[in-house]
């Protein structure tokens, strides 16, 4: 199957279309909520909440003997909220720090969840096979009614974020200031965290509890690389999430029993990797180039100043000096390259035998730099 | 000499898990003064501001703003948190941060519009940051961050300003600019309460001072209470700090 046929299956193949739409919607919603989670340093909270959903799924099944996703999701949501409550209680009433209490909540709930799952597995009732897919996700099992669930709850979550945009921004940037204005920050915090739980629960079926946190963190972290504006970051995170969802669903639809969850998460990771490397301003490649630029500029300025200070000892400031004198100060290779750069900017001119002199322009530039340095010293 | 009280704090006690961090504080702040709050690390200076603003649960006591509880007087009060209390890598611009000063008046859901934008631009102009309006906040120096916060406070157009270390980590130019701004605020009848660290500059920048170390050691006009005895009582035996504190030369 070539790429074109794969994309065509998005339109023609009902199953592929359903799965891709579901994971795209999921990715978009988790991207937006994840953008806030990343900015509020709550990535680990997302992880804890998704793991905490597992016992809820198992319990819901044990109590109702129903495999209906909505019922299982309600169970997942219930233990998710229970986990938030426990987390708040632990951090408020003990001396345990946030990261440690998240670790406690995560491992306790996940442990209970695994225990219940293995217990159910001994049960001859074969339906538990459906439950196991909550561990790593099974997007291929998404049905039209699941799309409706994702659309309704995901849409509601996005609507709340849109309506309370200003309040959530205040919460994320300057909570104390927000409180001083009279906004109930603990309530807003709980609301935003609850929306996160909703998104996580929506995603469990497709991505699974183990990797759902990646769907929260990855799009937001990638989006942060490309923009310095919160609204753009949220939109971009939604786009990245959707992109990861669709491409993951398509790749895993190629067959050979690949779980969709891991494939989607790998796609999201690829987006993060590209963003970390290549994004302008914040990307590693950009940083390396900028460092190199500023280093060579500084070296150039140093050589210019050296030349100026040598000249200052003579009556003619524009008098040429042997390159060896400059090299003694700055090193040979750096000096040659810097002189070529300065020459290109018209600040120095070569004489015979590799002697170099300031131009009028170079003299003015050096004097300006010297004055700026003196001003800096005064400021300190 | 009877002035109306901008802030009246009585019997204020704040505790973290049995340990009192503020004990039985009484503080009367008249309107139209610049008051420094000084004291050693852990004296409860920030806690005092936060407790007065209702950001922390208080164990006992009352805070009145122009005679009424803070909750009813929010519109009259502006809070400038410590510069280091927020993430300056947050994806937003200087103008956007300053516009947050309007959020209280806007209330729920309503977004800032053209009027709010103009107010923010005017405030930025006042702190000399006009050309930085569109700048991403991570590109600001410490002094520029502080000016941004002050602009946000100006937008609130409050009567009382609670400032947590407005001079912390700023350059000399910004420090002078902030002092000018504080004096302008006072001239227009506003009241400023600022946590301050540099004892040397207290007499120069402020006209009132509160010396705090869990308890209120002294509070009043600088030339009355900023004495070596009070400083010694506040800072304990750390004489090196005291010897540098100016007091002898009466202004």
């Amino acid at each position: 199957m070539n790429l074109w046929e794969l994309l065509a299956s998005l339109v023609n193949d009902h199953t592929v279309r359903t799965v891709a739409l579901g994971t795209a919607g999921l990715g978009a919603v988790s991207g937006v909520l994840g953008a806030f989670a990343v900015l509020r340093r709550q990535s680990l909270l997302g992880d804890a909440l998704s793991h905490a959903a597992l016992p809820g799924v198992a319990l819901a099944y044990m109590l109702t003997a129903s495999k209906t996703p909505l019922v299982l999701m309600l169970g997942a949501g219930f233990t998710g909220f229970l986990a938030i409550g426990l987390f708040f209680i632990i951090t408020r009433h003990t001396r345990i720090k946030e990261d440690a209490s998240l670790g406690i909540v995560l491992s306790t709930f996940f442990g209970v969840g695994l225990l219940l799952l293995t217990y159910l597995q001994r049960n001859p009732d074969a339906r538990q096979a459906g439950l196991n897919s909550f561990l790593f996700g099974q997007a291929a099992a998404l049905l039209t009614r699941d799309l409706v669930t994702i659309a309704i709850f995901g849409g509601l979550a996005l609507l709340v974020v849109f309506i309370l945009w200003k309040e959530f921004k205040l919460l994320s940037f300057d909570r104390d200031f927000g409180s001083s204005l009279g906004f109930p920050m603990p309530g807003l915090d709980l609301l935003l965290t609850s929306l996160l739980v909703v998104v996580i629960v929506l995603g469990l079926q497709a991505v699974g509890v183990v990797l759902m946190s990646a769907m929260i963190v990855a799009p937001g972290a990638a989006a942060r690389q490309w923009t310095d504006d919160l609204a753009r970051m949220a939109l971009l995170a939604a786009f990245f999430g959707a992109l990861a969802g669709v491409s993951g669903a398509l790749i895993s639809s190629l067959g050979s029993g690949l779980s969709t969850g891991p494939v989607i998460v790998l796609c999201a990771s690829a987006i993060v990797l590209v963003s970390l490397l290549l994004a302008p301003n914040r990307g590693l490649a950009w940083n390396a180039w900028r460092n190199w630029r500023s280093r060579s500029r500084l070296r150039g300025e140093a050589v210019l100043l050296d030349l100026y200070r040598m000249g200052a000892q003579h009556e003619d400031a524009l008098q040429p000096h042997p390159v060896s004198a400059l090299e003694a100060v700055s090193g040979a290779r750096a000096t040659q390259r810097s002189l070529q750069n300065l020459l290109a900017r018209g600040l120095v001119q070569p004489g015979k035998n590799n002697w170099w002199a300031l131009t009028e322009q170079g003299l003015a530039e050096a004097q300006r730099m010297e004055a700026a340095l003196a001003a800096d010293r005064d400021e300190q | 000499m009877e002035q109306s009280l901008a802030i009246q704090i009585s019997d204020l006690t704040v505790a973290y898990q049995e340990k009192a961090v503020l004990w039985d504080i009484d503080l009367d702040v008249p309107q139209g003064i610049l008051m420094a709050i000084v004291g050693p690390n852990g004296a409860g200076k920030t806690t005092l501001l936060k407790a007065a603003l209702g950001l922390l649960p208080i164990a006992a006591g009352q805070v009145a703003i122009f005679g009424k509880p803070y909750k009813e007087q929010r519109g009259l009060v502006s809070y400038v948190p410590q510069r280091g209390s927020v993430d300056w890598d947050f994806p937003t611009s200087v103008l956007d941060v300053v516009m947050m000063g309007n959020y209280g008046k806007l209330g729920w859901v309503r977004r800032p519009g053209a009027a709010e934008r103009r107010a923010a631009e005017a405030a930025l102009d006042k702190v000399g940051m006009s050309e930085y309006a569109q700048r991403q906040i991570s590109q600001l120096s410490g002094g520029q961050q502080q000016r941004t916060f002050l602009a946000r406070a100006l937008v609130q157009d409050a009567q009382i300003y609670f400032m947590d270390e407005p001079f912390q980590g700023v350059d000399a130019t910004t420090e002078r600019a902030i002092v000018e701004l504080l004096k302008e605020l006072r001239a227009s009848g506003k009241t400023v309460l600022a946590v301050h660290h540099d004892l040397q500059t207290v007499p120069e920048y402020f006209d009132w001072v509160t010396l705090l170390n869990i308890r209120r050691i002294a509070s009043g006009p600088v030339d009355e209470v900023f004495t070596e005895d009070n400083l010694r009582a506040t800072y304990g035996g750390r004489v090196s700090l005291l010897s540098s504190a100016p007091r002898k030369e009466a202004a």
Side-chain angles (χ1 to χ4, degrees), chain A residues 36 39 41 92-95 161-170 172-177 179-184 188 224 227-231 233 282 379, chain B residues 17 50 53 55 70 74 79 81 85-93 96-97 100-101 103-104 106-112 136-137 139 149 152 156 171-173:
Chain A
F36 280 99
L39 291 174
R41 299 162 201 268
R92 186 158 300 180
H93 295 287
T94 72
R95 280 157 187 263
V161 170
F162 179 75
I163 291 174
L164 294 178
W165 178 260
K166 165 176 121 252
E167 287 76 11
F168 284 153
K169 177 156 76 173
L170 199 54
S172 310
F173 176 65
D174 196 346
R175 187 188 172 114
D176 277 349
F177 181 71
S179 291
S180 83
L181 295 180
F183 291 103
L188 285 168
R224 180 68 189 94
T227 175
D228 281 332
D229 177 81
L230 182 60
M233 177 179 164
R282 300 174 77 94
E379 190 66 27
Chain B
Q17 294 174 346
K50 286 192 173 180
L53 292 166
L55 302 178
Y70 175 66
R74 279 187 210 284
Y79 172 48
S85 68
V86 304
D87 173 15
W88 288 96
D89 197 34
F90 195 84
T92 189
S93 67
D96 206 36
V97 171
M100 288 179 188
Y103 283 12
L106 284 171
W108 288 95
V109 181
R110 270 180 62 206
R111 307 278 172 94
Q136 213 280 319
I137 57 171
Q139 296 168 11
F149 262 13
R152 183 176 70 174
Q156 289 181 270
D171 52 282
T173 322

Side-chain angles (χ1 to χ4, degrees), chain A residues 25 66 79 97 100 111 122 128 151 174 198 201 253 274 277 294:
Chain A
S66 153
T79 47
K97 299 275 184 286
R122 277 200 244 124
Q128 53 80 20
D174 196 346
V198 170
V201 168
S253 79
V274 170
L277 285 175
S294 79

Side-chain angles (χ1 to χ4, degrees), chain A residues 221-284:
Chain A
R224 180 68 189 94
Q225 288 291 106
W226 298 92
T227 175
D228 281 332
D229 177 81
L230 182 60
R232 274 185 219 129
M233 177 179 164
L235 287 176
L236 204 55
F239 171 70
F240 285 156
L243 186 65
V246 173
S247 32
L250 282 181
I251 293 171
S252 71
S253 79
L254 291 174
S256 59
L258 288 174
S259 290
T260 337
V263 181
I264 292 177
V265 167
L266 282 179
C267 290
S269 308
I271 295 174
V272 172
L273 192 68
V274 170
S275 304
L276 284 179
L277 285 175
L278 298 183
N281 289 320
R282 300 174 77 94
L284 292 174

